[in-house]
Amino acid sequence: MLRASYPPSSLHCIRCIGESATVEVAESDTPMADAETIKKIEDGYAKLQGANDCHSLLKKHLSKQVVDDLKAKKTKLGATLLDVIQSGVANLDSGVGLYAPDAESYTLFKPLFDPVIQEYHNGFGPNQKQPQTDLGEGKTSQLVDLDPEGKFINSTRIRCGRSLAGYPFNPCLTEANYKDMEGKIRKVFDTLEDPDLKGKYYPLLGMSKEDQNQLIADHFLFKEGDRFLQAANACRYWPVGRGIFHNNAKTFLVWVNEEDHLRLISMQPGGNVGQVLERLIKGVKTIEKQVPFSRDDRLGWLTFCPSNLGTTVRASVHIRLPKISAKPDFKKICDDLKLQIRGIHGEHSDSEGGVYDISNKARLGCTEFECVKQMYDGIKHLIELEKKA
Ligand SMILES: Nc1ncnc2c1ncn2[C@@H]1O[C@H](COP(=O)(O)OP(=O)(O)OP(=O)(O)O)[C@@H](O)[C@H]1O
Ligand SMILES: NC(=[NH2+])NCCC[C@H](N)C(=O)O
């Protein structure tokens, strides 16, 4: 074993500025995690093992064997198993608990990612491949309004994530990367002419707290200070490079550099899923003509969190189902329909006034249109149950 200087711009990011950039390099020249990092990984493993109230996929799949096999590994950008697991170790209430600091992490730390991916995405196995993109062009008319009388659904939203090719994910990005990426995407926003898409970019830097909080309360903007992202080292230089684009009607929105490089969102009041999807397709197709995105042959569109791989599509409604949501088996009914229940202010929030956010859960191993259809068919069924209850 030699000690050598590895030029890890990302290692600075991952390990906080000010730390020495010297890391251990094995004889094969493969970068290796240092002893301190390995100790933290082992301590993290022990903490998870001792936490009886922790039910994350991380805890379930981070076996002693996996720790021993992966603890010394390091990606070319300097990411270690610690970077992958630290959010789930800090937040024992995580559902998933791990993130990929860069694309290489999905292969280097495969023995951990693959079983998590398999369990989260309906059994998507290590030899399975994400199908070709099918956003649902020409098929949106199949998705007729789920609630034409406006009795149940407050609003419908479909989002997808995209990573700009050539850049790693949050923990490995430098401040210059953030500025650069924001600059590139702002130029693309300026070219949007279609009346459905045309709008303005609002950087977080310089936005008043009042405006920011209003956008969050109205469900348009990402929240600040997400402890899961913070513990994953994903909020560095905040608010530099972060912001939101939206059209006048706030029905087409793009989040810049929150959890993923981009989140493209279409949303509107009511239950017209077809219209919402139609607008999203237009937005994605227009933007992707100008920006190359990272796609993996097996895992599809690449994202920071393994729960978002593949299509990256989460199609949701904000819905009131007072009768069936009061039943003890409501979660089981949704699980069986492969739907996920969230609270009114998004992930890790509670329901308010009996309104739930219900969406497709899996995003990998199916097409984009199938993800939306999963939500559509499931919600249709839930509304029928509510009417009969
Ligand atoms: N159908 C919907 N109608 C209106 N707002 C919605 C709808 N679905 C989600 N939202 C809002 O979008 C915002 C973001 O939600 P949330 O963070 O749960 O989901 P996300 O954007 O899909 O990302 P992630 O899964 O990474 O958390 C929240 O304010 C949430 O209330
Ligand atoms: N926004 C997401 N990536 N959501 C999925 C996981 C979020 C968080 N890391 C958890 O495990 O609970």
Side-chain angles (χ1 to χ4, degrees), residues 42 48 55 60 64 69 103 115 165 281 295 325 338 359 362 364:
E42 286 168 342
L48 289 171
H55 306 290
K60 182 166 175 187
K64 179 82 175 64
D69 289 350
I281 295 173
R295 188 177 167 94
S325 65
K338 302 194 176 358
S359 66
L364 179 64

Side-chain angles (χ1 to χ4, degrees), residues 268-287:
Q268 68 186 49
N272 198 325
V273 182
Q275 274 180 9
V276 174
L277 180 59
E278 185 83 32
R279 190 184 308 107
L280 183 72
I281 295 173
K282 206 189 266 187
V284 171
K285 299 219 71 124
T286 310
I287 293 179

